Amino acid sequence: MYTQAIDLAAQGKPEGGPRPVTTSPELQAREAAFNARIAQDQKVEPQDWMPEAYRKTLVRQISQHAHSEVIGMQPEGNWITRAPSLRRKAILLAKIQDEGGHGLYLYSAAETLGVSREEMAEALHSGKAKYSSIFNYPTPTWADMGCIGWLVDGAAIMNQIPLCRCSFGPYARAMIRICKEESFHQRQGYEAMLALCNGTPAQRAMAQEAFNRWWWPVVMMFGPSDKDSVHTAQASAWGIKRITNDDLRQKFIDATVPQAELLGLTVPDPDLRWNEERGHYDHGPINWDEFWQVVAGDGPCNRERLAARVKAHDDGAWLREATLAYSQKQAERAARAQGTDRSAA
Ligand code: BYC
């Protein structure tokens, strides 16, 4: 099935490019061992042999996930200076800081597959790599902060809990910590919405208006319907994806509708009905044209988000250079000290 492979074990660390496996029996044995590992639900680690297509799928998904976390700081960053109280500001700062941290864990997990941070950054900045569609929507009111926590982080948890059991060890382990933090993010968002919904009529109206804008983009965030999802079958066979896009979307809707009811909010879907027979909510049609337009880079804020990211990266060049120069100096000092020790001995 696979004509190329990387030999991670031989080097003790991952290589950037694929290395052809020379003999067919060797390839077959490696592939059989890999498949057995997946079948037994054991983790694949960076030093293990893996099919090149598995490695590429993981690099794509993990780096896109990392980019989403980093770009995802922007819509909320918009409200740090305008949070309505010191308490809300402290919570928002902590949440955004967590998201930067999630990006870091995920970039690190992707690096174990032999791709560099620079390559991943370049792919994002050039528009080659994707990030979640959801972060291309604006945040004009404080209620948007509540909706992002409640709905976007709620959707993220739904998608990410199964990823804690993903077959690739570093990704699965990163997801465990990320999910714990996402849980706090979701709760703070719901609590912010609760405060608005228990507030003045103007605050309730603001909550409903923001909910109206976020509902459908969040429903789309789970990705295309299963029939149009190009990666689901293979990613599921490899134990990367445990639950399909549509099934996760359904789980999210089933869990979130009662939460909206508790807040006294109306879900902006006239076709939403509890289906007794299925034991799930039926929902109205999803505007897939809008989804693909946003994914293709033409959403309300795509250009703004990417430009802000590129600017932040460029503005940070001095820090990356200084950090590298400092670590080089430390290494030279350590080498000199070792040399002095040896000559003294
Ligand atoms: N947006 O075959 P499919 C967060 C692309 S951050 C854009 O179903 P797959 C947070 C897809 O990449 C949460 N593109 O793909 C942060 C593919 O295109 P490519 C982010 C999308 O990979 C800060 C094509 O459509 N979470 O929570 O099997 C503040 C076909 O799709 C989207 C993750 O990244 C989308 N929504 O399934 C607050 C989770 N959906 O790559 C919160 C990890 C699909 O072939 N990722 N596409 O060019 C995944 O679980 C999966 O990659 C997806 C898509 C479910 C997203």
Side-chain angles (χ1 to χ4, degrees):
M1 184 175 167
Y2 306 107
T3 53
Q4 285 188 311
I6 48 168
D7 186 351
L8 300 166
Q11 299 258 327
K13 62 183 175 122
E15 279 285 300
R19 277 229 270 135
V21 173
T22 47
T23 61
S24 180
E26 185 190 356
L27 171 64
Q28 281 166 4
R30 287 180 162 187
E31 196 171 326
F34 172 83
N35 289 338
R37 223 165 231 273
I38 299 285
Q40 288 161 14
D41 229 355
Q42 285 176 9
K43 294 281 176 262
V44 176
E45 297 298 338
Q47 69 275 16
D48 296 331
W49 183 91
M50 63 186 81
E52 175 59 6
Y54 176 83
R55 188 187 75 87
K56 277 193 173 151
T57 292
L58 283 167
V59 168
R60 176 187 65 82
Q61 178 166 328
I62 302 172
S63 63
Q64 289 184 1
H65 194 163
H67 300 328
S68 303
E69 296 283 356
V70 171
I71 297 265
M73 297 162 81
Q74 290 186 37
E76 293 168 307
N78 189 29
W79 280 90
I80 294 175
T81 54
R82 292 179 285 149
S85 68
L86 184 59
R87 175 174 169 263
R88 294 287 178 201
K89 190 187 187 96
I91 293 171
L92 192 60
L93 274 169
K95 178 181 190 294
I96 296 172
Q97 189 172 298
D98 282 353
E99 282 148 10
H102 296 175
L104 194 62
Y105 315 151
L106 290 163
Y107 283 129
S108 302
E111 278 178 308
T112 69
L113 291 157
V115 61
S116 70
R117 277 285 284 279
E118 290 72 23
E119 285 172 283
M120 290 186 272
E122 168 53 27
L124 174 66
H125 300 164
S126 66
K128 197 175 136 221
K130 293 188 166 74
Y131 59 87
S132 182
S133 50
I134 196 70
F135 302 115
N136 293 305
Y137 289 86
T139 49
T141 72
W142 172 251
D144 292 313
M145 296 303 96
C147 281
I148 289 183
W150 170 36
L151 302 169
V152 177
D153 288 280
I157 295 172
M158 209 50 103
N159 165 277
Q160 290 171 183
I161 291 283
L163 288 174
C164 297
R165 292 189 297 113
C166 156
S167 58
F168 185 57
Y171 193 25
R173 289 189 288 275
M175 289 322 302
I176 293 171
R177 178 153 173 192
I178 291 177
C179 282
K180 286 185 182 156
E181 293 175 355
E182 298 288 22
S183 171
F184 148 70
H185 295 174
Q186 196 271 351
R187 279 150 204 250
Q188 68 79 35
Y190 193 73
E191 198 262 338
M193 291 301 280
L194 201 58
L196 289 176
C197 292
N198 286 333
T200 63
Q203 287 172 322
R204 278 199 293 280
M206 187 201 280
Q208 180 67 57
E209 187 274 333
F211 185 44
N212 292 347
R213 282 184 288 107
W214 285 95
W215 176 255
W216 286 108
V218 169
V219 167
M220 291 174 199
M221 192 184 153
F222 292 90
S225 65
D226 292 349
K227 67 175 173 38
D228 297 321
S229 169
V230 286
H231 301 297
T232 294
Q234 187 58 78
S236 305
W238 279 329
I240 296 171
K241 214 165 180 170
R242 301 284 180 173
I243 307 182
T244 70
N245 299 357
D246 283 338
D247 286 351
L248 282 173
R249 193 177 352 262
Q250 183 73 64
K251 274 176 183 286
F252 171 79
I253 293 173
D254 290 349
T256 309
V257 171
Q259 294 170 3
E261 281 166 1
L262 202 72
L263 291 172
L265 295 177
T266 306
V267 180
D269 177 357
D271 299 319
L272 190 82
R273 306 246 181 306
W274 177 253
N275 184 325
E276 198 64 55
E277 214 173 295
R278 291 200 311 123
H280 293 291
Y281 281 95
D282 291 336
H283 60 80
I286 295 171
N287 184 348
W288 290 117
D289 289 345
E290 175 183 325
F291 173 75
W292 289 117
Q293 196 176 325
V294 176
V295 170
D298 203 16
C301 302
N302 293 60
R303 286 168 193 82
E304 186 187 318
R305 299 285 186 247
L306 204 54
R309 176 87 292 274
V310 171
K311 182 177 184 306
H313 187 79
D314 292 347
D315 289 351
W318 69 271
L319 183 63
R320 290 191 297 279
E321 279 161 25
T323 311
L324 276 177
Y326 181 71
S327 63
Q328 204 174 340
K329 205 160 92 182
Q330 294 285 88
E332 282 164 11
R333 263 195 206 144
R336 267 205 305 277
Q338 241 181 8
T340 318
D341 281 358
R342 262 199 221 108
S343 59

